[in-house]
Amino acid sequence: MTNLTDEQLLALIRESLDSPALLVLFERYRPVLCKIQSRYFIPDFDLDDWRQEALLVFCRVAQRFEVERSKSFGSFYRQALRFRVYDLIRQGQTKKRLAGQQAVSLEANRTFVSETVQDMRWVLRENLEVQDAVSQLPTRLSKIEHTVFGDLLRGQSLQMISRGRRLSLPQVTSAAYRSQTKLRDLLAE
């Protein structure tokens, strides 16, 4: 197949894009790809991306090329590939502009960032302080406060505690309030 002319290979390609003639002709025009690749830089493009884009352009050009209207298939392919590269570069520039427009300065928005982004070191420190306060709390609670607070930590509601411990709801509510106040005092220390 390598001894066929460009026109013969193009005829085979037009019959079927699955024809091996496509890769034969593509390899024949590899220098066009190499020359354009050496002239232009497309961000985030590696050799496989270049080859894939060039092959897509080559398939489109091979189907559209008219021998009667154009001088040479090579110049037609070179021009189409160059235009595709320009499009890809423009797309890359657009992405850069959009990324620049969406960027937010941390220094200019210091207050907003500090209020919305959590520093995990502070979260860890706060968790340790709460654990420490909860472990010290039982020594400061009365017997009823200790019972109610323990039941609250186990996920029981005030009504459930009232029924289960045979206490009035105002007693349970008051004990819960006093234990929460003592916990806040411990955390404030």
Side-chain angles (χ1 to χ4, degrees):
M1 215 175 248
T2 56
N3 55 357
L4 298 175
T5 66
D6 289 356
E7 289 80 21
Q8 291 170 328
L9 291 171
L10 285 168
L12 290 172
I13 293 169
R14 281 192 196 106
E15 289 175 16
S16 170
L17 278 176
D18 293 332
S19 170
L22 178 71
L23 292 178
V24 170
L25 194 58
F26 181 69
E27 285 302 316
R28 191 175 288 176
Y29 285 96
R30 177 176 283 284
V32 172
L33 168 62
C34 293
K35 187 171 185 177
I36 290 176
Q37 190 176 10
S38 69
R39 281 184 153 178
Y40 300 101
F41 172 74
I42 302 173
D44 300 327
F45 253 57
D46 60 11
L47 293 175
D48 290 334
D49 295 328
W50 274 97
R51 180 175 162 76
Q52 184 177 13
E53 285 296 329
L55 191 54
L56 289 170
V57 170
F58 195 85
C59 289
R60 191 176 69 242
V61 166
Q63 290 177 321
R64 292 183 181 170
F65 180 72
E66 296 175 17
V67 179
E68 308 83 38
R69 294 185 69 199
S70 301
K71 294 180 194 173
S72 113
F73 176 76
S75 62
F76 189 63
Y77 169 58
R78 180 176 37 254
Q79 183 178 11
L81 184 58
R82 193 177 312 134
F83 287 156
R84 179 63 184 145
V85 168
Y86 294 158
D87 288 343
L88 292 169
I89 291 171
R90 269 194 299 271
Q91 286 174 5
Q93 294 299 321
T94 303
K95 287 179 187 175
K96 280 185 187 177
R97 273 196 307 277
L98 289 176
Q101 290 172 353
Q102 294 171 351
V104 176
S105 168
L106 295 178
E107 289 300 317
N109 299 300
R110 182 178 293 212
T111 305
F112 172 76
V113 171
S114 68
E115 290 174 357
T116 56
V117 178
Q118 281 189 330
D119 184 353
M120 294 313 291
R121 294 172 296 184
W122 283 103
V123 171
L124 178 62
R125 183 175 174 210
E126 288 172 353
N127 284 343
L128 291 173
E129 288 175 357
V130 168
Q131 285 177 359
D132 187 43
V134 169
S135 69
Q136 293 177 18
L137 186 63
T139 60
R140 297 186 182 196
L141 296 177
S142 68
K143 185 175 181 179
I144 190 168
E145 292 168 349
H146 187 273
T147 303
V148 170
F149 188 73
D151 288 347
L152 285 172
L153 288 178
R154 285 187 277 285
Q156 294 183 15
S157 68
L158 295 176
Q159 291 81 9
M160 289 172 58
I161 297 169
S162 174
R163 276 182 265 140
R165 299 289 181 181
R166 292 193 169 89
L167 298 169
S168 69
L169 190 56
Q171 281 179 310
V172 172
T173 304
S174 179
Y177 177 75
R178 288 191 312 271
S179 60
Q180 287 173 354
T181 303
K182 290 178 182 178
L183 178 60
R184 275 192 217 106
D185 292 343
L186 258 175
L187 288 171
E189 291 177 1

